[in-house]
Amino acid sequence: MRVLVAKPGLDSHDRGAKVVARAYRDAGMEVVYTGLHQTPEEIVEAAIQEDVDVVALSILSGAHTTLVPRVAELLRAQGADDVLLLVGGIIPEDDIPAMLEAGAAGAFGPGSDLDEIVEFTRSNLRRRGA
Amino acid sequence: MDLVARLLAGDRRALARAITLTENEDPAAARLAAAVYPHTGKARTIGVTGPPGAGKSTIVDGLTHLYRREGRRVAVVAVDPTSPFSGGAILGDRIRMRRGAADPGVFIRSLATRGHLGGLSWHTGSVVRLLDAAGFDTILVETVGAGQAEVEIMRYAETTVVVMVPGLGDEVQAIKAGILEIADVLAVNKADREGADRLVRELEIMLRMDGSVGRGGPLARKEGPAAGSEPGADAAGPEPWVPPVVKTVATTDEGLPELLRAVEAHHEHLRATGGLERWRRRELAAEVRGLVRDLAGQAAHAWATADGAWEELLGRVQRREIDPRSASEGLVQEFLRHAGSGGPGARG
Ligand SMILES: Nc1nc2c(ncn2[C@@H]2O[C@H](COP(=O)(O)OP(=O)(O)OP(=O)(O)O)[C@@H](O)[C@H]2O)c(=O)[nH]1
Ligand SMILES: [Mg+2]
């Protein structure tokens, strides 16, 4: 299984994203990590080229309300809506329904358990043979 | 439209999926490889290897940018190691490959080694062919960072760039580990650091002294006789290629135009001396030989297991009644007799 861990927006550090990336690796997954300050376009293009099964966005800046719908929309436009879209970081409880509405399959706020994220990812895969 | 047609038409999703099928050894992969093969052989292939953190990805990003300015379509294959503990991997080379991130003339694919040794993935050659067939005319392959020479890259790269950095300490050690033999071009990166000039000088001296340059090195590989040609036919061989040493600061693009020119000069040299065709012939010979060995071995094994002869033979080997080599020779001879008298299926 291949996962893209991506950081859209202007966050100034990526400690959380790296922790998640390592958790996926330790669970036996191949994790493409692309670093800070990615645009939604770059993220979706990388997801296509890397043929990932999962796109996990890490967002601390509060911009999730615009970034998540944008990534979801671009994935759909590329015909890649079978890719599981997840979002984590500083996502207030109240915003989670909107994230799911926008096309994320899961949204994980601060203090989410890594094992839980990995398990959720595994059991919600959408793509055949992933 | 089927996957092959879409790939040949330049559909990036089809290409990405084809690479996945190939990596996963999907049953469809062999058919895919056969279908794209007639469309391959057009791309330039450049390998980039060197120690961990030397700046390989940053250099690849810079070269990609420069090749794009020349109107070339560039694909990158970036290999990172699979964790032997979990089977997972973190593929982080894209972090340094940002300039091509939104350019339709660039395609970057990260691969994990999945247990393959030698700094590459199992299917590097097949992936390069898919990219070639999809119309990328320049293909850069970044190996896993390794302290020693990753010889396997020479099988897929017409030109191998070895990246070194000053201050890693034991340059002589690296040189002993075979770096000079695999390099067609040497980049001394992080030249903004102390010791770059000294490293360049040392490398140049070693290159001039080293008897392996032009013999054991890339020259013997690419400029020696083609498979099947007269032994000694290259005795009065072409001008030897002495790998140039180029100083670079990949983070500021300094020296990268010179690096690109050195890579192109090597390619031109190979073309002019016929070395390119000889090298291609030799690599294909090795590939086909390997496949024949595998397929013949599988057929003999299948034939022998069909009626219990395999287990019986292994028992004799284990009881020390016969040694492994003699047992294998006997089995192959019997298999060939059967194959000759009505096909390998005759036994079952
Ligand atoms: N000072 C300096 N830093 C550089 C230079 N080139 C690359 N770096 C930095 O060196 C670090 C490693 O660069 P990469 O391009 O990721 O190196 P790599 O060889 O691809 O690394 P691996 O793939 O992990 O083996 C990064 O922080 C780069 O910014 C350079 O010329 N000078
Ligand atoms: Mg790298």
Side-chain angles (χ1 to χ4, degrees):
Chain A
M1 188 171 90
R2 289 168 65 88
V3 183
L4 179 74
V5 173
K7 279 205 67 72
L10 302 173
D11 298 349
S12 58
H13 75 78
D14 59 353
R15 280 190 292 277
K18 283 179 175 158
V19 168
V20 171
R22 276 195 291 272
Y24 279 131
R25 179 200 57 195
D26 294 343
M29 303 173 189
E30 289 179 358
V31 185
V32 179
Y33 183 60
T34 52
L36 288 163
H37 308 316
Q38 301 273 304
T39 67
E41 286 75 10
E42 287 172 347
I43 290 169
V44 171
E45 185 55 37
I48 300 288
Q49 292 176 11
E50 300 288 356
D51 196 30
V52 293
D53 309 294
V54 181
V55 171
L57 303 176
S58 162
I59 306 172
L60 309 174
S61 59
H64 52 276
T65 48
T66 54
L67 291 170
V68 172
R70 181 73 185 135
V71 170
E73 178 190 312
L74 288 167
L75 282 171
R76 267 195 303 277
Q78 293 276 345
D81 39 4
D82 55 350
V83 172
L84 188 76
L85 179 63
L86 305 174
V87 58
I90 304 180
I91 313 292
E93 196 75 21
D94 290 349
D95 287 352
I96 290 183
M99 296 291 94
L100 303 182
E101 180 69 21
F108 301 90
S112 295
D113 181 51
L114 285 174
D115 291 340
E116 183 198 325
I117 295 177
V118 168
E119 196 38 53
F120 182 93
T121 306
R122 239 198 255 287
S123 49
N124 284 276
L125 278 185
R126 290 178 185 164
R127 282 176 33 171
R128 267 178 312 124
Chain B
M1 216 181 355
D2 86 323
L3 194 65
V4 173
R6 283 169 53 211
L7 182 153
L8 294 174
D11 178 333
R12 300 157 84 78
R13 260 170 70 75
L15 171 60
R17 179 48 55 92
I19 295 173
T20 302
L21 293 173
T22 300
E23 265 213 293
N24 292 350
E25 299 180 5
D26 188 278
R31 193 185 49 80
L32 199 63
V36 301
Y37 189 71
H39 304 276
T40 63
K42 298 184 283 255
R44 287 269 290 106
T45 52
I46 301 155
V48 180
T49 188
K56 298 180 292 296
S57 300
T58 315
I59 285 177
V60 165
D61 185 58
L63 290 177
T64 299
H65 180 66
L66 292 173
Y67 275 123
R68 283 298 292 145
R69 289 218 305 228
E70 294 185 359
R72 310 272 279 266
R73 301 190 69 225
V74 184
V76 175
V77 179
V79 187
D80 272 319
T82 293
S83 155
F85 304 105
S86 70
I90 292 188
L91 312 173
D93 292 316
R94 286 187 91 101
I95 298 172
R96 311 280 164 218
M97 299 181 185
R98 296 294 295 278
R99 279 187 283 189
D103 176 352
V106 176
F107 189 100
I108 302 169
R109 181 63 176 247
S110 313
L111 300 180
T113 55
R114 299 190 183 179
H116 185 74
L117 302 175
L120 293 171
S121 93
W122 293 102
H123 302 292
T124 308
S126 306
V127 171
V128 166
R129 282 186 187 148
L130 293 172
L131 294 165
D132 183 353
F136 292 95
D137 53 34
T138 306
I139 302 175
L140 296 155
V141 180
E142 177 185 340
T143 73
V144 170
Q148 74 210 31
E150 295 292 20
V151 179
E152 198 181 309
I153 186 64
M154 304 195 310
R155 292 187 49 194
Y156 308 108
E158 293 161 3
T159 301
T160 300
V161 178
V162 174
V163 183
M164 301 193 65
V165 289
L168 273 194
D170 216 342
E171 275 94 29
V172 177
Q173 207 54 41
I175 289 158
K176 275 198 217 153
I179 294 284
L180 291 191
E181 273 114 304
I182 73 163
D184 298 308
V185 175
L186 278 149
V188 170
N189 191 42
K190 308 201 182 182
D192 49 334
R193 292 196 183 162
E194 220 186 277
D197 288 318
R198 193 171 53 89
L199 177 55
V200 169
R201 272 197 308 278
E202 276 173 14
L203 287 170
E204 280 174 342
I205 291 166
M206 295 294 267
L207 284 165
R208 278 195 220 100
M209 281 184 354
D210 193 333
S212 75
V213 170
R215 291 287 115 203
L219 297 171
R221 167 170 54 96
K222 288 178 187 157
E223 299 179 0
S229 74
E230 291 297 307
D234 69 334
E239 280 282 290
W241 171 261
V242 179
V245 184
V246 183
K247 238 172 25 167
T248 58
V249 183
T251 37
T252 62
D253 284 349
E254 210 176 307
L256 292 187
E258 290 75 13
L259 181 62
L260 184 139
R261 277 201 291 280
V263 167
E264 292 303 304
H266 177 253
H267 187 248
E268 191 44 46
H269 175 83
L270 280 182
R271 262 174 18 102
T273 56
L276 200 52
E277 282 312 309
R278 280 193 293 272
W279 169 73
R280 284 186 179 148
R281 176 58 171 249
R282 191 171 312 178
E283 289 311 326
L284 287 174
E287 180 179 352
V288 172
R289 221 166 30 236
L291 286 167
V292 167
R293 189 182 53 220
D294 290 354
L295 295 174
Q298 283 160 21
H301 178 254
W303 170 77
T305 46
D307 66 352
W310 180 260
E311 282 303 315
E312 192 189 305
L313 190 66
L314 280 186
R316 290 181 58 212
V317 174
Q318 193 166 11
R319 290 191 300 274
R320 299 295 190 275
E321 291 166 20
I322 186 169
D323 69 284
R325 168 93 201 189
S326 305
S328 309
E329 273 172 6
L331 187 144
V332 168
Q333 266 159 26
E334 212 185 321
F335 173 67
L336 289 176
R337 264 201 304 281
H338 260 274
S341 65
R347 184 165 179 155

